[in-house]
Amino acid sequence: MKQASNQVITGNILIVDDTPANLRLLSAMLRHEGHEVRMAITGTAALRTIQVELPDLILLDINMPQINGYEICEQLKANEQTCEIPVIFLSAFDGVIDKVKAFQAGGADYVSKPFQVEEVLIRVRHQLELQHMKRNLQAAEARALQALDREKELSRLKSEFISILSHDFRTPLTHIRGFADLLRYTNDQDQNLSAVTQDRYFNKIDAAIEHLLNLLDKILFVSNHDPDAIFCQPVPTDLKLFCQNLIETLQPSLTHHTIRLICQSEAPESVVDPVLLQQILTNLLSNAVKYSPTTREIDLVLDWQEDWIQFQVHDRGIGIPASNLPHVFDMFYRCHNVGDIQGRGLGLAAAKKCVEIHQGEIFVDSEPGSGTTFTVRLPQSLPAAASQPPVD
Ligand code: ADP
């Protein structure tokens, strides 16, 4: 359906009538008004052409052989694809009974034959306008529902955010208070703590503070509130060596898993930010380890083309349910199959942010029970503008 600048609404109209002269007359006057017109001379032909392309409106003769107008209309109204199409009946019968029957069959309007051209045009225009308004209303309703869903999701994330934060901050803070109390108490009581024990308590306090600072850094980074975090400093980097070094750093802390680097030949020198790249790959590799409790091998596959480089982290772990896939990069999102595996739902959001800062893309492919592959594609060399530090 179209609305021209002069506000006239035109549509795709199907005329169904077994009298060729009527078809000719009606189609000529509707085309003259700017409508697209299709014609059918029997009910069966009408139903066939409706399946091929849904019309915006149907002008339907009642008295036809084989299948009459009422039956066609009833069939259309019973089908959810066609039930919204307005039907205007055309009939030589003009009794009250016929009109009632037409409306009962689901008709939107009724024109008596022989028809007046003006009357048909006005009734057609009226139905198209109604239909147009209805579609606008439905679209507005869908937009409102979408906004409501987004609002609900935001509010859910906010409460989740607050409860996660309070839990994550409370635990180390409780440790700090506990060890500070212990130190103070033994001091008040003139009990001598050995230097080793004192050291242990101070180390615990330091570790809790370190944990809080790390958490805060991650949250600020992901929420983009820390402008320094988006500073990208690309430097020429030997990617194969970079990946080998990264695996060497991670491997000693892994008891069961082996990370293999798969790289066909010498990688070309690329201009990337090693800090961002390390953040991306560390997050992906540590997830691969964490979510593959029963399998050993994890592959880091390095590949490149003329102007981009690609990293794939492939595991054979628990996988990600298809319905969860669209949300994995959302802050605080955790998939439904994580079970007892600990996590905060921040790692992938952070990885995605780093990829975006690096003008790249990240995507995921997963088969529950078989494994997951995260793919990161970055430009081979960042354009000069991206490497400028922000101006104060
Ligand atoms: P988390 O700290 O929970 O691991 P992430 O942001 O790193 O947070 O990941 C978000 C969620 O995506 C995880 O909770 C997990 O459900 C899912 N996920 C991430 N990586 C994998 C993977 N390699 N295999 C299966 N699920 C994964």
Side-chain angles (χ1 to χ4, degrees), residues 126-276:
H126 180 63
Q127 286 305 324
L128 286 178
E129 275 168 7
L130 275 178
Q131 184 74 342
H132 186 65
M133 282 193 292
K134 206 162 147 192
R135 285 184 191 173
N136 281 349
L137 263 177
Q138 281 167 343
E141 191 184 26
R143 278 198 301 274
L145 284 175
Q146 249 179 14
L148 198 68
D149 280 350
R150 266 204 306 276
E151 199 55 41
K152 276 192 200 151
E153 180 61 9
L154 214 62
S155 144
R156 187 188 66 75
L157 279 175
K158 268 188 203 157
S159 0
E160 212 169 285
F161 181 78
I162 291 164
S163 78
I164 289 171
L165 275 200
S166 36
H167 174 266
D168 280 2
F169 276 74
R170 191 176 290 276
T171 314
L173 284 172
T174 314
H175 283 155
I176 293 171
R177 190 159 68 186
F179 287 109
D181 281 350
L182 266 176
L183 286 164
R184 193 178 308 111
Y185 176 77
T186 43
N187 203 23
D188 289 351
Q189 301 293 311
D190 270 346
Q191 291 176 0
N192 282 335
L193 279 181
S194 71
V196 176
T197 312
Q198 276 193 31
D199 237 27
R200 202 155 54 84
Y201 290 175
F202 280 125
N203 284 342
K204 295 269 185 203
I205 291 175
D206 276 348
I209 292 173
E210 189 61 28
H211 176 74
L212 282 176
L213 288 175
N214 276 339
L215 192 64
L216 198 61
D217 276 353
K218 214 162 200 177
I219 290 167
L220 286 175
F221 180 75
V222 175
S223 354
N224 213 357
H225 287 149
D226 180 2
D228 288 343
I230 52 168
F231 178 31
C232 180
Q233 279 181 300
V235 291
T237 307
D238 177 335
L239 288 180
K240 192 169 180 185
L241 192 63
F242 177 90
C243 293
Q244 279 164 346
N245 287 341
L246 181 66
I247 293 173
E248 261 174 43
T249 322
L250 295 175
Q251 193 65 61
S253 61
L254 309 178
T255 39
H256 300 299
H257 295 85
T258 311
I259 304 177
R260 298 185 302 198
L261 176 62
I262 300 176
C263 176
Q264 303 307 337
S265 57
E266 289 311 305
E269 193 177 73
S270 303
V271 185
V272 294
D273 181 326
V275 178
L276 291 176

Side-chain angles (χ1 to χ4, degrees), residues 54-121:
L54 296 182
D56 296 314
L57 183 136
I58 303 172
L59 284 174
L60 183 57
D61 185 22
I62 294 177
N63 192 18
M64 290 184 294
Q66 294 166 358
I67 170 164
N68 69 33
Y70 299 132
E71 288 166 317
I72 295 174
C73 191
E74 275 163 359
Q75 282 193 30
L76 295 176
K77 297 297 151 183
N79 179 335
E80 75 171 31
Q81 264 198 314
T82 51
C83 64
E84 298 285 339
I85 305 170
V87 173
I88 300 178
F89 280 111
L90 305 167
S91 178
F93 313 133
D94 198 18
V96 175
I97 293 286
D98 301 309
K99 288 186 180 163
V100 169
K101 218 169 155 192
F103 287 115
Q104 277 171 343
D109 206 348
Y110 189 101
V111 179
S112 305
K113 289 182 185 174
F115 40 73
Q116 303 285 318
V117 170
E118 278 308 313
E119 183 191 352
V120 176
L121 290 180

